[in-house]
């Protein structure tokens, strides 16, 4: 991933992103650098306790992004947008 595309240590200014999937409860075996997933309810393993958060694989480790009201995500495997309301995700 290009250094210019990496987050600056804080996700506060983030409002829109793309995620690969939103139905996984455990991390994939071999994620690509920069891969992001919305963690499904009932998460296990390294994602335990991360339900409904965004898991971001960067530099060989998972980073947890806690969503803020208004965040939008393009879900690649569904070809649809979702928005975080503060307690749930909804689509247009």
């Amino acid at each position: 991933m290009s250094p210019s595309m990496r987050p600056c240590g804080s996700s506060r200014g983030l409002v829109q992103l793309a995620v690969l999937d939103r139905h996984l409860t455990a991390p994939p075996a071999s994620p690509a650098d920069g891969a992001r997933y919305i963690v499904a309810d009932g998460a296990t393993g390294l994602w335990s306790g991360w339900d409904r958060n965004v898991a971001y694989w960067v530099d060989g480790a998972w980073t947890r992004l806690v969503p803020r009201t208004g965040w939008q995500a393009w879900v690649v495997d569904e070809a649809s947008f979702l928005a975080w309301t503060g307690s749930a995700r909804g689509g247009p």
Side-chain angles (χ1 to χ4, degrees):
M1 175 182 280
S2 165
S4 65
M5 298 297 290
R6 293 185 193 275
C8 60
S10 173
S11 60
R12 290 184 182 177
L14 183 67
V15 294
Q16 184 172 318
L17 68 154
V19 297
L20 297 173
D21 193 294
R22 65 176 176 141
H23 296 103
L24 299 181
T25 57
S30 300
D33 196 51
R36 291 168 308 278
Y37 300 86
I38 295 173
V39 179
D41 288 343
T44 62
L46 293 173
W47 288 356
S48 182
W50 290 18
D51 295 8
R52 301 181 186 185
N53 291 188
V54 176
Y56 174 44
W57 180 256
V58 64
D59 295 332
W62 289 107
T63 297
R64 177 184 188 179
L65 303 176
V66 179
R68 294 179 175 266
T69 301
W71 276 23
Q72 299 175 32
W74 175 253
V75 184
V76 173
D77 73 335
E78 297 176 20
S80 65
F81 271 109
L82 297 175
W84 181 248
T85 66
S87 61
R89 285 193 173 75

